[in-house]
Amino acid sequence: MVAGHTDELKIIPNALRTKEVYKTFVSKRGTNIEQVPKNAIDEELCLIAMESNSFAALRYIPENIKTDSFWEKVIDRKLFYKISDLPEKYQEQAWTCLLYTSDAADDRISV
């Protein structure tokens, strides 16, 4: 599929621009989300962008997507570069998640 081999959405004909094409396009480089039409951007697509490159993609994610649900998924999936990139209200939750993950890893190592 061409979406996985280009950084320019404009070369993909409009008739071929499906949800799956947008997912593939954004998964290769999170910042590509800025080229996706606003009406095609949803939480799922933004999370895919974050998986690709959270630090860079975050600035292109529309504010209306950044809901409690979105941030909880970002934290659960550890889709952030550093805790200070998260809104302050979610930073404690991220620390707790990281500490829990670290403790679980220590338990596996000591077995």
Side-chain angles (χ1 to χ4, degrees):
M1 173 166 292
V2 75
H5 300 286
T6 184
D7 286 329
E8 295 291 327
L9 188 60
K10 65 185 174 190
I11 70 164
I12 301 172
N14 286 338
L16 299 177
R17 294 183 191 182
T18 65
K19 180 80 170 173
E20 292 307 311
V21 167
Y22 292 138
K23 287 180 185 179
T24 301
F25 183 67
V26 169
S27 72
K28 300 301 177 190
R29 180 176 290 159
T31 56
N32 283 345
I33 199 164
E34 74 172 330
Q35 297 179 48
V36 176
K38 299 293 182 214
N39 65 344
I41 296 176
D42 60 11
E43 183 179 270
E44 179 185 11
L45 195 62
C46 291
L47 290 168
I48 291 169
M50 294 287 288
E51 288 173 3
S52 169
N53 184 341
S54 64
F55 180 72
L58 189 57
R59 66 180 162 216
Y60 297 109
I61 294 176
E63 289 301 315
N64 67 308
I65 298 292
K66 297 176 183 176
T67 63
D68 288 340
S69 170
F70 173 78
W71 288 116
E72 288 170 8
K73 289 173 185 168
V74 166
I75 292 167
D76 288 344
R77 299 178 192 181
K78 297 169 191 63
L79 302 178
F80 51 91
Y81 180 70
K82 55 188 177 185
I83 290 179
S84 61
D85 291 338
L86 301 171
E88 190 173 324
K89 101 180 214 185
Y90 300 101
Q91 291 179 12
E92 184 176 333
Q93 181 181 350
W95 275 113
T96 302
C97 181
L98 290 176
L99 290 172
Y100 175 78
T101 303
S102 176
D103 286 347
D106 289 346
D107 290 345
R108 284 192 303 269
I109 292 169
S110 66
V111 172

